[in-house]
PDB file of all heavy atoms in Angstrom:
ATOM      1  N   ARG A   6       0.063  12.160   4.659  1.00 89.00           N
ATOM      2  CA  ARG A   6       0.004  12.391   6.143  1.00 89.00           C
ATOM      3  C   ARG A   6       0.998  11.439   6.819  1.00 89.00           C
ATOM      4  O   ARG A   6       1.822  11.939   7.692  1.00 89.00           O
ATOM      5  CB  ARG A   6      -1.411  11.907   6.590  1.00 89.00           C
ATOM      6  CG  ARG A   6      -1.635  12.020   8.117  1.00 89.00           C
ATOM      7  CD  ARG A   6      -3.073  11.784   8.361  1.00 89.00           C
ATOM      8  NE  ARG A   6      -3.374  11.727   9.751  1.00 89.00           N
ATOM      9  CZ  ARG A   6      -4.608  11.554  10.285  1.00 89.00           C
ATOM     10  NH1 ARG A   6      -5.609  11.449   9.489  1.00 89.00           N
ATOM     11  NH2 ARG A   6      -4.716  11.488  11.561  1.00 89.00           N
ATOM     12  N   ALA A 100       2.283  21.532   8.079  1.00 95.00           N
ATOM     13  CA  ALA A 100       1.806  20.789   6.904  1.00 95.00           C
ATOM     14  C   ALA A 100       0.994  19.516   7.383  1.00 95.00           C
ATOM     15  O   ALA A 100       0.001  19.232   6.831  1.00 95.00           O
ATOM     16  CB  ALA A 100       2.980  20.487   5.960  1.00 95.00           C
ATOM     17  N   TYR A 101       1.593  18.854   8.309  1.00 95.00           N
ATOM     18  CA  TYR A 101       0.964  17.629   8.912  1.00 95.00           C
ATOM     19  C   TYR A 101      -0.384  17.980   9.471  1.00 95.00           C
ATOM     20  O   TYR A 101      -1.378  17.281   9.205  1.00 95.00           O
ATOM     21  CB  TYR A 101       1.797  16.977   9.897  1.00 95.00           C
ATOM     22  CG  TYR A 101       1.242  15.769  10.658  1.00 95.00           C
ATOM     23  CD1 TYR A 101       1.103  14.566   9.923  1.00 95.00           C
ATOM     24  CD2 TYR A 101       0.701  15.848  11.897  1.00 95.00           C
ATOM     25  CE1 TYR A 101       0.417  13.510  10.614  1.00 95.00           C
ATOM     26  CE2 TYR A 101       0.073  14.842  12.579  1.00 95.00           C
ATOM     27  CZ  TYR A 101      -0.110  13.623  11.954  1.00 95.00           C
ATOM     28  OH  TYR A 101      -0.623  12.606  12.521  1.00 95.00           O
ATOM     29  N   ARG A 102      -0.474  19.033  10.235  1.00 95.00           N
ATOM     30  CA  ARG A 102      -1.737  19.376  10.832  1.00 95.00           C
ATOM     31  C   ARG A 102      -2.761  19.779   9.741  1.00 95.00           C
ATOM     32  O   ARG A 102      -3.953  19.392   9.863  1.00 95.00           O
ATOM     33  CB  ARG A 102      -1.615  20.557  11.879  1.00 95.00           C
ATOM     34  CG  ARG A 102      -1.024  20.193  13.161  1.00 95.00           C
ATOM     35  CD  ARG A 102      -1.134  21.242  14.167  1.00 95.00           C
ATOM     36  NE  ARG A 102      -0.479  22.482  13.879  1.00 95.00           N
ATOM     37  CZ  ARG A 102       0.822  22.839  14.037  1.00 95.00           C
ATOM     38  NH1 ARG A 102       1.595  21.917  14.625  1.00 95.00           N
ATOM     39  NH2 ARG A 102       1.290  23.930  13.678  1.00 95.00           N
ATOM     40  N   ASP A 103      -2.271  20.465   8.756  1.00 95.00           N
ATOM     41  CA  ASP A 103      -3.192  20.854   7.617  1.00 95.00           C
ATOM     42  C   ASP A 103      -3.738  19.593   6.921  1.00 95.00           C
ATOM     43  O   ASP A 103      -4.901  19.496   6.618  1.00 95.00           O
ATOM     44  CB  ASP A 103      -2.507  21.710   6.596  1.00 95.00           C
ATOM     45  CG  ASP A 103      -2.137  23.130   7.166  1.00 95.00           C
ATOM     46  OD1 ASP A 103      -2.706  23.497   8.225  1.00 95.00           O
ATOM     47  OD2 ASP A 103      -1.330  23.831   6.499  1.00 95.00           O
ATOM     48  N   VAL A 104      -2.807  18.634   6.630  1.00 94.00           N
ATOM     49  CA  VAL A 104      -3.297  17.402   5.966  1.00 94.00           C
ATOM     50  C   VAL A 104      -4.197  16.585   6.884  1.00 94.00           C
ATOM     51  O   VAL A 104      -5.270  16.101   6.370  1.00 94.00           O
ATOM     52  CB  VAL A 104      -2.109  16.566   5.556  1.00 94.00           C
ATOM     53  CG1 VAL A 104      -2.499  15.147   5.126  1.00 94.00           C
ATOM     54  CG2 VAL A 104      -1.294  17.242   4.405  1.00 94.00           C
ATOM     55  N   ARG A 105      -3.852  16.617   8.140  1.00 93.00           N
ATOM     56  CA  ARG A 105      -4.820  15.800   9.073  1.00 93.00           C
ATOM     57  C   ARG A 105      -6.201  16.506   9.170  1.00 93.00           C
ATOM     58  O   ARG A 105      -7.183  15.763   9.090  1.00 93.00           O
ATOM     59  CB  ARG A 105      -4.152  15.756  10.494  1.00 93.00           C
ATOM     60  CG  ARG A 105      -4.883  14.766  11.427  1.00 93.00           C
ATOM     61  CD  ARG A 105      -4.257  14.817  12.773  1.00 93.00           C
ATOM     62  NE  ARG A 105      -4.525  16.071  13.415  1.00 93.00           N
ATOM     63  CZ  ARG A 105      -3.786  16.710  14.290  1.00 93.00           C
ATOM     64  NH1 ARG A 105      -2.582  16.196  14.650  1.00 93.00           N
ATOM     65  NH2 ARG A 105      -4.123  17.860  14.813  1.00 93.00           N
ATOM     66  N   ARG A 106      -6.235  17.773   9.253  1.00 95.00           N
ATOM     67  CA  ARG A 106      -7.542  18.496   9.256  1.00 95.00           C
ATOM     68  C   ARG A 106      -8.291  18.216   7.899  1.00 95.00           C
ATOM     69  O   ARG A 106      -9.552  17.971   8.013  1.00 95.00           O
ATOM     70  CB  ARG A 106      -7.365  20.023   9.476  1.00 95.00           C
ATOM     71  CG  ARG A 106      -7.160  20.381  10.956  1.00 95.00           C
ATOM     72  CD  ARG A 106      -7.336  21.819  11.180  1.00 95.00           C
ATOM     73  NE  ARG A 106      -6.291  22.650  10.431  1.00 95.00           N
ATOM     74  CZ  ARG A 106      -5.121  22.964  11.009  1.00 95.00           C
ATOM     75  NH1 ARG A 106      -4.856  22.603  12.245  1.00 95.00           N
ATOM     76  NH2 ARG A 106      -4.213  23.673  10.329  1.00 95.00           N
ATOM     77  N   GLN A 107      -7.617  18.211   6.772  1.00 94.00           N
ATOM     78  CA  GLN A 107      -8.274  17.964   5.518  1.00 94.00           C
ATOM     79  C   GLN A 107      -8.792  16.588   5.536  1.00 94.00           C
ATOM     80  O   GLN A 107      -9.962  16.375   5.026  1.00 94.00           O
ATOM     81  CB  GLN A 107      -7.281  18.275   4.322  1.00 94.00           C
ATOM     82  CG  GLN A 107      -7.948  18.145   2.979  1.00 94.00           C
ATOM     83  CD  GLN A 107      -9.072  19.143   2.733  1.00 94.00           C
ATOM     84  OE1 GLN A 107      -8.942  20.325   2.984  1.00 94.00           O
ATOM     85  NE2 GLN A 107     -10.255  18.616   2.358  1.00 94.00           N
ATOM     86  N   ASP A 108      -8.004  15.621   5.943  1.00 91.00           N
ATOM     87  CA  ASP A 108      -8.460  14.184   6.091  1.00 91.00           C
ATOM     88  C   ASP A 108      -9.705  14.097   6.820  1.00 91.00           C
ATOM     89  O   ASP A 108     -10.696  13.420   6.475  1.00 91.00           O
ATOM     90  CB  ASP A 108      -7.390  13.281   6.590  1.00 91.00           C
ATOM     91  CG  ASP A 108      -6.221  13.032   5.653  1.00 91.00           C
ATOM     92  OD1 ASP A 108      -6.377  13.420   4.424  1.00 91.00           O
ATOM     93  OD2 ASP A 108      -5.217  12.420   6.064  1.00 91.00           O
ATOM     94  N   GLU A 109      -9.715  14.836   8.007  1.00 93.00           N
ATOM     95  CA  GLU A 109     -10.900  14.724   8.912  1.00 93.00           C
ATOM     96  C   GLU A 109     -12.140  15.424   8.260  1.00 93.00           C
ATOM     97  O   GLU A 109     -13.211  14.887   8.338  1.00 93.00           O
ATOM     98  CB  GLU A 109     -10.580  15.518  10.222  1.00 93.00           C
ATOM     99  CG  GLU A 109      -9.642  14.729  11.112  1.00 93.00           C
ATOM    100  CD  GLU A 109      -9.055  15.529  12.333  1.00 93.00           C
ATOM    101  OE1 GLU A 109      -9.405  16.713  12.428  1.00 93.00           O
ATOM    102  OE2 GLU A 109      -8.277  14.995  13.018  1.00 93.00           O
ATOM    103  N   ARG A 110     -11.956  16.511   7.470  1.00 95.00           N
ATOM    104  CA  ARG A 110     -13.051  17.188   6.780  1.00 95.00           C
ATOM    105  C   ARG A 110     -13.538  16.207   5.699  1.00 95.00           C
ATOM    106  O   ARG A 110     -14.756  16.051   5.554  1.00 95.00           O
ATOM    107  CB  ARG A 110     -12.583  18.438   6.167  1.00 95.00           C
ATOM    108  CG  ARG A 110     -12.535  19.594   7.201  1.00 95.00           C
ATOM    109  CD  ARG A 110     -12.378  20.990   6.434  1.00 95.00           C
ATOM    110  NE  ARG A 110     -11.163  21.100   5.636  1.00 95.00           N
ATOM    111  CZ  ARG A 110     -10.025  21.577   6.160  1.00 95.00           C
ATOM    112  NH1 ARG A 110     -10.033  21.933   7.473  1.00 95.00           N
ATOM    113  NH2 ARG A 110      -8.987  21.555   5.388  1.00 95.00           N
TER     114      ARG A 110
END
Side-chain angles (χ1 to χ4, degrees):
R6 182 175 170 177
Y101 173 76
R102 284 192 303 271
D103 291 346
V104 167
R105 194 182 67 213
R106 277 194 297 271
Q107 185 61 49
D108 286 351
E109 289 167 0
R110 281 192 298 269

